[in-house]
Amino acid sequence: MRQKNGIAVSFSAVSRRFGEVRAVDDVSFEVADGEFFSMLGPSGSGKTTCLRLIAGFEQPDAGHVAVHGVNVEGVPPYERDVNTVFQDYALFPHMTVFQNVEYGLMIRKVAPDERRRRSREMLDLVKLGQMGERKPSQLSGGQRQRVALARALINRPGVLLLDEPLGALDLKLREEMQEELKSLQRQVGITFVYVTHDQGEALAMSDRLAVFNQGRIEQIGTPADIYEHPATAFVAGFVGASNVCSGALAGSISGADRAFAIRPEKISMLAAGERVADGWLSIAGTVRAVTYHGATTRYAVSVEAGELTVMRQNGSDGRAATAAGDAVVLAWPRNLCQPLAERK
Amino acid sequence: MSAAIGRAPMFSRMSTLFYVRPRLLLGLLLAPPLIWLGVIYLGSLLSLLLQSFFYIDEFSGTIVREFSLETFRQLFTAANADVFLRTATMAAAVTIAAAVIAFPIAYYMVRYAGLRLKALLYLAVMLPLWSSYLVRVYAWKLILAKEGIVTWFAGQLHLGWLLDAILSIPVIGGPSLSTSYIGSFLVFLYIWLPFMILPIVAALERVPRSLIEASADLGAPPRQTFRKVILPLAFPGVVAGSIFTFSLTLGDYIIPGIIGNSRPLIGQAVYQLQGTAGNIPLAAAFTVVPIVIMAIYLLVARRLGAFNAL
């Protein structure tokens, strides 16, 4: 990975409205050079608009967007040192795969020999060396995705923007491509800004990620930061599954009504009456439903002021299976509770 | 079970029949237009082609129903060749001008106009088609006449000299706009323009915005994006529109009869030959010309790759 010395992209107090809708609302963040940075959020949370602000398809209403330290307001997309992999790939249907990849170099008037050499190299890099003469319509979804990637990388951009590039692929292929993208990024050393609504994808690939909600950033951090220490109820609920406890439920567990989150896999489920270790929080409840998920089993447990979800690895312990209707005690170390801030 | 089917009303039984044999329904639906196309259209076209191989006996003036190339020899005399050269040139000029004018309009409709404005523009493009073609052509005759508004307007702007200069251009000029090729060109252009705009709109609608963004993203300024992405993808629409404008101009005999000079286009020649002159074989031979020109035109268009993006 390249030395993280510079700032590739920076947003300072950027806003973008569409009519009444604040698509991006006073957003600030920085992406370091060579970083794999993800913008994670539900649809309509402003992450794609942020990407389009970097690419130059949108202009901010307020604030500044800078790429490699240079303000880019008013700079059209074709003069920016960034390239995009589009959600629908946006391959030119009237050109062959090779012509698609070559397009950026052709526009920049690179000499034909070098153009062909670099395009061939790029196609080899994405493992499509044999497909050059085909039309995009003759490729599978995964192959099109690679062509889009090769086409965007050939100009050797300072920043590569990826707009949900794996969204249209099936699960198996998506997991494969996640690893490939990550290793490709290490190989080329280019800053990746990656937009996704898939929290698993963001956690698996990113160096850092920003969680978006309603046009604002809820939290920025490393995947482990975000997962282990969600700052808000939204992050706790959106990134991985979480029991968000507030109000009466929080009171009945911890004695204070400060909101906190606890991950389902961190809760131990004991038989009623079993002794709880010192320093642990606990609450008694009844199993309402049991759902089998292969590697894990989920238990919905009714407690005094609400319901908690517990997840257990299957076959990891020798305890007898717990069934719906069983009385149980849920317990976990107090320090695993993640206190939540109200949304700013 | 069988009793239930037996009691079913006729429509229900027919539905079942058509559901089980979808090709039967397709056949029934397609039969009337196919018979129309086959017998009425292709049949008369064939008989037309046959007629062009007959010839007029010069002494008696009667049609000799024997196979001969005599009529086609007549067709290629200098005077007649002039007619179709003139017509083809007119059709080509009208087509090119229509494409040049229609493209920006279509592009604006597709990329920039909001929903309401787009509906309004559609209406504006189609509206002329709702009123009679003859009325519109005669209206143009008044507009373009020597005493008409164009001459008057040019006079008011002290541009009479410019109009005179334009009208004094040899061949396409004339005593007034309404009696020159410029006049017939303008009216053809006006009358056929909707047939060029609509197919281009349809073609542009199928070019996703992301392709234009992708091109800009890869470094292409708008001019190059237009040349490398938008135009190639919209070209089938231009070709479709040009087939309309070109063939409609080739065959029309009313516009050049009302506006233009006295030298006939193909349509007028056919009209005169089958009417006053009674030379049906030559009239038939004349009508073969537009068909041949269109066939050549489509072959060239295909060679240019106009249909590749379909």
Side-chain angles (χ1 to χ4, degrees):
Chain A
M1 201 186 298
R2 203 156 22 153
Q3 197 65 36
K4 289 181 186 175
N5 42 16
I7 299 299
V9 177
S10 84
F11 271 49
S12 34
V14 173
S15 293
R16 176 77 175 107
R17 271 182 295 276
F18 297 108
E20 290 296 295
V21 184
R22 290 159 173 264
V24 175
D25 189 5
D26 194 25
V27 161
S28 301
F29 65 87
E30 284 181 344
V31 181
D33 230 347
E35 194 173 24
F36 196 123
F37 185 83
S38 293
M39 300 197 276
L40 172 68
S43 59
S45 60
K47 55 195 193 307
T48 296
T49 307
C50 281
L51 199 78
R52 295 173 61 82
L53 282 162
I54 305 173
F57 303 133
E58 302 284 350
Q59 298 291 334
D61 294 321
H64 298 286
V65 178
V67 176
H68 287 121
V70 182
N71 266 356
V72 290
E73 283 101 78
V75 179
Y78 49 89
E79 284 169 11
R80 294 190 184 196
D81 182 24
V82 298
N83 285 120
T84 308
V85 176
F86 289 83
Q87 188 168 15
D88 63 353
Y89 314 141
L91 299 179
F92 303 125
H94 57 300
M95 299 181 192
T96 62
V97 165
F98 197 83
Q99 288 167 331
N100 263 283
V101 172
E102 191 183 41
Y103 190 80
L105 298 180
M106 188 192 69
I107 294 294
R108 273 165 208 206
K109 303 203 165 58
V110 173
D113 281 350
E114 191 192 343
R115 203 158 82 198
R116 273 192 289 277
R117 185 180 55 75
R118 276 170 65 180
S119 306
R120 225 171 282 128
E121 276 174 18
M122 199 45 85
L123 276 177
D124 286 340
L125 185 69
V126 296
K127 299 174 192 152
L128 284 177
Q130 309 306 312
M131 303 287 185
E133 290 316 307
R134 299 213 187 165
K135 285 283 178 74
S137 58
Q138 295 167 300
L139 300 184
S140 71
Q143 290 169 331
R144 281 180 217 184
Q145 209 275 322
R146 288 158 197 264
V147 178
L149 200 62
R151 188 180 67 171
L153 280 172
I154 200 152
N155 282 342
R156 298 172 184 152
V159 180
L160 185 74
L161 309 174
L162 302 102
D163 186 6
E164 310 225 3
L166 308 182
L169 306 180
D170 60 56
L171 183 66
K172 193 90 183 157
L173 197 54
R174 203 155 64 212
E175 283 170 353
E176 242 175 76
M177 284 303 293
Q178 282 176 16
E179 279 171 35
E180 264 186 54
L181 266 180
K182 185 74 191 151
S183 72
L184 189 71
Q185 194 250 349
R186 276 192 213 104
Q187 224 173 318
V188 294
I190 291 174
T191 311
F192 275 32
V193 177
Y194 191 96
V195 160
T196 180
H197 65 265
D198 181 333
Q199 46 96 17
E201 206 167 280
L203 291 176
M205 299 169 78
S206 322
D207 294 324
R208 282 192 314 143
L209 61 146
V211 183
F212 278 74
N213 183 31
Q214 296 177 359
R216 290 168 172 245
I217 293 181
E218 296 262 343
Q219 192 177 1
I220 301 183
T222 64
D225 261 354
I226 302 266
Y227 188 81
E228 298 294 340
H229 307 293
T232 65
F234 176 81
V235 176
F238 191 76
V239 182
S242 211
N243 294 295
V244 174
C245 308
S246 60
L249 181 58
S252 71
I253 297 171
S254 67
D257 60 359
R258 171 97 202 266
F260 67 89
I262 179 76
R263 296 285 178 194
E265 72 273 18
K266 310 215 161 168
I267 300 178
S268 301
M269 194 160 56
L270 314 170
E274 220 176 311
R275 206 184 82 83
V276 176
D278 291 339
W280 286 41
L281 293 173
S282 69
I283 187 164
T286 314
V287 175
R288 186 183 58 77
V290 179
T291 322
Y292 179 73
H293 286 281
T296 58
T297 302
R298 258 167 214 279
Y299 302 86
V301 181
S302 301
V303 296
E304 194 187 315
E307 185 167 287
L308 294 176
T309 304
V310 178
M311 194 172 80
R312 258 194 200 167
Q313 207 71 31
N314 285 332
S316 61
D317 52 23
R319 274 182 286 197
T322 311
D326 289 0
V328 293
V329 170
L330 305 181
W332 61 90
R334 183 183 280 276
N335 62 2
L336 290 184
C337 288
Q338 183 58 39
L340 299 176
E342 282 308 304
R343 210 180 154 225
K344 284 157 278 179
Chain B
M1 194 64 179
S2 64
I5 290 172
R7 274 201 307 273
M10 191 182 67
F11 278 124
S12 161
R13 255 182 301 158
M14 269 168 64
S15 303
T16 313
L17 181 67
F18 289 145
Y19 186 83
V20 176
R21 300 175 185 278
R23 278 171 182 283
L24 182 66
L25 180 63
L26 192 69
L28 281 176
L29 286 174
L30 285 182
L34 281 180
I35 290 168
W36 178 270
L37 189 74
V39 177
I40 315 276
Y41 181 72
L42 288 180
S44 26
L45 200 66
L46 211 65
S47 90
L48 187 77
L49 199 65
L50 275 177
Q51 299 249 8
S52 66
F53 290 108
F54 300 157
Y55 63 98
I56 290 268
D57 186 284
E58 281 181 30
F59 296 108
S60 60
T62 53
I63 296 167
V64 181
R65 295 176 187 279
E66 284 169 16
F67 180 83
S68 145
L69 289 174
E70 169 63 20
T71 306
F72 279 97
R73 198 190 51 75
Q74 275 182 43
L75 184 67
F76 287 103
T77 57
N80 289 336
D82 248 15
V83 173
F84 46 77
L85 203 65
R86 198 182 305 146
T87 312
T89 309
M90 175 66 82
V94 168
T95 299
I96 291 167
V100 169
I101 294 174
F103 207 100
I105 297 174
Y107 194 76
Y108 179 82
M109 281 171 75
V110 173
R111 289 273 165 250
Y112 296 102
L115 273 182
R116 193 173 298 205
L117 183 60
K118 193 155 143 186
L120 207 70
L121 285 170
Y122 261 113
L123 200 68
V125 170
M126 309 272 272
L127 201 61
L129 301 177
W130 298 0
S131 66
S132 160
Y133 156 95
L134 271 179
V135 171
R136 287 181 291 140
V137 174
Y138 273 107
W140 271 99
K141 188 174 179 66
L142 292 179
I143 292 169
L144 296 176
K146 202 163 189 66
E147 307 77 23
I149 191 167
V150 173
T151 316
W152 177 82
F153 204 69
Q156 293 293 308
L157 292 174
H158 303 291
L159 289 173
W161 58 271
L162 185 64
L163 188 62
D164 289 339
I166 292 169
L167 286 175
S168 65
I169 300 171
V171 185
I172 65 167
S176 74
L177 281 174
S178 63
T179 53
S180 67
Y181 283 132
I182 299 176
S184 15
F185 167 80
L186 287 174
V187 177
F188 272 130
L189 183 58
Y190 162 77
I191 298 275
W192 306 141
L193 196 57
F195 297 97
M196 183 61 99
I197 294 176
L198 295 177
I200 297 180
V201 167
L204 284 173
E205 294 270 20
R206 290 205 307 255
V207 181
R209 186 180 292 269
S210 65
L211 290 188
I212 295 163
E213 286 180 350
S215 174
D217 188 73
L218 291 164
R223 188 172 33 85
Q224 291 211 51
T225 297
F226 182 80
R227 256 202 10 241
K228 305 275 186 202
V229 178
I230 299 170
L231 195 58
L233 290 174
F235 201 57
V238 178
V239 171
S242 73
I243 290 169
F244 287 126
T245 56
F246 196 77
S247 64
L248 287 170
T249 310
L250 277 185
D252 195 83
Y253 71 100
I254 296 174
I255 293 171
I258 298 172
I259 294 165
N261 68 25
S262 53
R263 279 164 295 185
L265 300 187
I266 290 179
Q268 293 162 285
V270 173
Y271 184 67
Q272 284 158 11
L273 283 168
Q274 62 85 35
T276 42
N279 191 345
I280 299 286
L282 189 55
F286 255 112
T287 52
V288 174
V289 174
I291 296 171
V292 172
I293 293 177
M294 279 315 292
I296 294 170
Y297 182 79
L298 289 179
L299 283 176
V300 171
R302 197 180 66 173
R303 183 64 59 84
L304 287 177
F307 308 116
N308 287 359
L310 283 184

